[in-house]
Amino acid sequence: MQHHGLRRANERAVLRAIGFNPGLSNAEISRLCGLAPQTVSAILTNLEKSGLVERGEVLRGRRGQPATPFFLRACSGFAFGVEIGWNHVDVLLLDLHATVLSRRQARYEFPQCETVIDLVAKWTAELGAHLQEPERARLLDIGVAIPSNLVAKLQRLDAPEDAARQWAEIDLGAVLKERTGLDVTCVNDGSAGCWGEFIALPQPRPANVVYLLASSFIGAGIVEGGALWEGAGGNAADLGAMLVPTEHDGPQTAHAIASVGALRQRLAAAGKAQETHLPAQWDWDAIAPEVDLWIADSAKALAQTVFNTATVVETGTVVIGTMLGDDITARLVERVTEDLAALPVTYARPPRILPGQLGGLAPAIGAAELALLRRHF
């Protein structure tokens, strides 16, 4: 590598070490990155001058010399996170500590290309205006979480034919960059949600994570060795498309059983259709029997999906989130854990099934985090 390239690579290694392990000392960073202490010291000095890291209070009372912990400065980097979903668009502003500073959301029956772009351009301008001038100069990126198969599945939402055609013909990243002046990173919504939940896990963070999100369809992602699977087409972990057996209808995809879209179809068939796409406004008491059945069927489907995935990807942690609130998520996670244990197989060590912490915001948060990751780390 050329000298400046090596220096930049070392800077990114040190920044990543601090970002993923806040509070590391110079010596700990040196051991983790395999760099000489003098090299790390020089890099930390430069990162401090650039405003990317800051020192914490000196840690005394430990063996050896007092150690100084280093942390990322929250205000040293900002990004917008955008999720373009089947029934909603979310835009949020995130800092380098992954704190959501502000947010906008709109609901619709299906995503209309021009309307969504207008909203994203409008809201990013509004949210960015709340930053002070020095901070605004550190707002450089938009991360966009969007379904990889948006065009193909729009027909399932009874969208007009020209809606799919407009999405097929547009270069979304180029248009948003022209409208906002910011660099744009587009990523599959399931992968973005996976990254968001991966970063939200407490230390010590596992290196391998499988993620499932019950939304309009099943969003999914895989982190292995601390790296996000994306694949050549950007849709490397469409676990919701995995076939699972059912008692009466033969093999079905997990999308068709465990998604919120499947729940809405179940409610409509029972004559209890919920008019709004906002679960917080649903009549949960009236639909309790259908929700109970959906949780039972979804848990079986997701347990089989988890098992099949674990035969290919060695993982000890599975995160399951929903857009239906903490209570439903907790119930679903509990049933998946039970159904996974009941499968006629023997695990040396079955994976932990954890509830997602970010709910339906995971894709937008993860998209912003991935934009910051690729910018700084």
Side-chain angles (χ1 to χ4, degrees):
M1 300 177 77
Q2 294 183 4
H3 179 68
H4 72 275
L6 180 60
R7 183 176 65 250
R8 184 63 179 135
N10 288 341
E11 282 185 358
R12 287 177 178 266
V14 170
L15 266 178
R16 188 179 180 103
I18 296 172
F20 277 69
N21 308 275
L24 289 180
S25 67
N26 188 324
E28 290 168 331
I29 296 170
S30 176
R31 286 193 296 270
L32 191 62
C33 297
L35 298 172
Q38 300 91 326
T39 301
V40 172
S41 181
I43 290 173
L44 289 172
T45 298
N46 288 335
L47 292 176
E48 274 191 284
K49 290 179 179 178
S50 67
L52 284 168
V53 302
E54 59 188 0
R55 297 171 184 258
E57 293 186 9
V58 176
L59 302 175
R60 304 184 186 277
R62 302 162 67 179
R63 294 181 60 183
Q65 295 293 323
T68 300
F70 286 86
F71 302 89
L72 298 178
R73 289 183 69 234
C75 61
S76 62
F78 300 89
F80 290 114
V82 176
E83 184 199 4
I84 299 173
W86 303 105
N87 305 116
H88 68 275
V89 56
D90 255 310
V91 176
L92 54 83
L93 178 63
L94 199 81
D95 67 16
L96 210 56
H97 281 185
T99 301
V100 177
L101 303 177
S102 49
R103 176 192 173 201
R104 298 284 190 276
Q105 184 186 67
R107 296 276 172 172
Y108 41 66
E109 290 301 316
F110 60 88
Q112 291 182 304
C113 185
E114 291 182 3
T115 301
V116 168
I117 290 174
D118 287 344
L119 286 173
V120 172
K122 174 186 176 183
W123 288 342
T124 52
E126 290 177 358
L127 299 181
H130 293 298
L131 295 176
Q132 301 298 319
E133 192 58 43
E135 297 175 339
R136 206 174 304 163
R138 295 179 179 270
L139 175 58
L140 304 172
D141 298 279
I142 300 176
V144 179
I146 185 170
S148 300
N149 50 5
L150 177 69
V151 174
K153 287 188 176 179
L154 269 177
Q155 295 177 346
R156 298 190 186 183
L157 301 177
D158 297 323
E161 291 185 7
D162 64 337
R165 178 181 53 78
Q166 289 175 6
W167 283 111
E169 293 176 352
I170 195 171
D171 183 338
L172 180 63
V175 171
L176 284 178
K177 182 172 183 176
E178 181 180 356
R179 294 285 297 273
T180 66
L182 302 173
D183 288 341
V184 179
T185 299
C186 292
V187 63
N188 171 265
D189 54 348
S191 295
C194 179
W195 189 256
E197 290 286 6
F198 173 65
I199 296 299
L201 288 170
Q203 295 286 0
R205 186 180 292 110
N208 300 339
V209 174
V210 170
Y211 169 70
L212 296 161
L213 173 66
S215 186
S216 296
F217 295 92
I218 298 294
I222 294 174
V223 169
E224 185 175 36
L228 182 66
W229 278 30
E230 293 189 78
N235 194 31
D238 187 9
L239 304 182
M242 194 174 291
L243 290 174
V244 295
T246 63
E247 186 175 352
H248 302 294
D249 299 322
Q252 298 287 321
T253 66
H255 290 305
I257 301 170
S259 67
V260 175
L263 173 59
R264 290 178 63 86
Q265 289 178 356
R266 186 186 292 258
L267 294 174
K272 299 180 181 180
Q274 302 298 298
E275 297 302 323
T276 175
H277 289 290
L278 289 171
Q281 298 177 7
W282 289 3
D283 186 350
W284 287 97
D285 291 335
I287 63 177
E290 289 74 24
V291 172
D292 291 345
L293 291 173
W294 175 80
I295 289 176
D297 291 344
S298 296
K300 291 179 181 178
L302 294 179
Q304 293 175 71
T305 300
V306 167
F307 172 77
N308 292 335
T309 303
T311 63
V312 180
V313 180
E314 185 176 355
T315 181
T317 303
V318 176
V319 177
I320 296 179
T322 79
M323 57 178 289
L324 299 175
D326 293 342
D327 178 62
I328 298 296
T329 301
R331 290 173 58 191
L332 181 61
V333 165
E334 182 179 3
R335 287 296 299 267
V336 172
T337 302
E338 293 172 358
D339 287 343
L340 186 62
L343 290 176
V345 292
T346 301
Y347 278 102
R349 183 179 295 175
R352 298 180 302 160
I353 312 296
L354 302 177
Q357 299 181 52
L358 306 178
L361 276 183
I365 291 174
E369 290 173 342
L370 284 167
L372 287 169
L373 178 79
R374 292 163 182 174
R375 167 71 61 180
H376 298 291
F377 303 98

